[in-house]
Amino acid sequence: MDSLAELNERHRKFVEDRNWQRHQSPKNLVMALTGEVGELNELFQWLTPEESRTVSDERKRAVALEMADVLIYLVRLADEMGIDLVAAAHEKCEINERKYPAEAFKGNGMRPHEYKESK
């Protein structure tokens, strides 16, 4: 099971088996997603950038489980909205590639908001 479609089918069945479909509105899914992102954020709160790159195995597992919650809710939201999440992500990559051309950033370490300001 390694595709978003398979993950979506598995979680859709999980929801159906528990009769939770009535709670799966886009609004509720966004609220749940936001809560899970907050829990993920909490695991990194107060860490230095270096500490965030070298977390313990225990914290890394906690991060993985929170990331899984975020992914599951995001995939469910896409399903409820009839959005092909992978296609939308590819479209967004294309938009970003045009908006932030690689040649403008090579070797200068400029951040996206700095590029906008320098135009």
Side-chain angles (χ1 to χ4, degrees):
M1 293 182 94
D2 60 356
S3 77
L4 289 182
E6 290 168 321
L7 176 62
N8 187 48
E9 283 302 316
R10 182 176 185 176
H11 199 69
R12 187 186 289 155
K13 182 175 178 353
F14 176 86
V15 168
E16 288 172 2
D17 288 350
R18 287 151 183 83
N19 197 29
W20 289 350
Q21 185 58 36
R22 67 185 183 275
H23 305 295
Q24 300 285 300
S25 70
K27 178 197 82 70
N28 287 352
L29 290 167
V30 168
M31 292 177 73
L33 175 61
T34 301
E36 295 301 336
V37 169
E39 291 179 22
L40 179 59
N41 185 57
E42 188 176 4
L43 293 171
F44 290 96
Q45 189 174 14
W46 313 122
L47 298 181
T48 66
E50 295 76 25
E51 289 170 336
S52 73
R53 288 187 172 95
T54 58
V55 296
S56 68
D57 288 343
E58 182 181 347
R59 182 163 301 212
K60 189 173 184 177
R61 177 161 163 51
V63 167
L65 293 175
E66 291 305 332
M67 289 174 69
D69 284 339
V70 168
L71 178 62
I72 288 167
Y73 279 118
L74 188 60
V75 168
R76 283 294 302 134
L77 177 60
D79 184 46
E80 286 295 314
M81 299 289 300
I83 293 171
D84 180 333
L85 195 54
V86 173
H90 282 294
E91 180 183 1
K92 185 62 176 179
C93 286
E94 291 169 10
I95 290 167
N96 287 342
E97 287 165 357
R98 286 191 304 272
K99 187 175 181 180
Y100 305 110
E103 56 275 1
F105 292 87
K106 287 197 184 215
N108 64 21
M110 188 173 19
R111 294 174 293 203
H113 74 278
E114 294 169 330
Y115 176 70
K116 259 182 134 172
E117 292 169 2
S118 68
K119 277 187 164 181

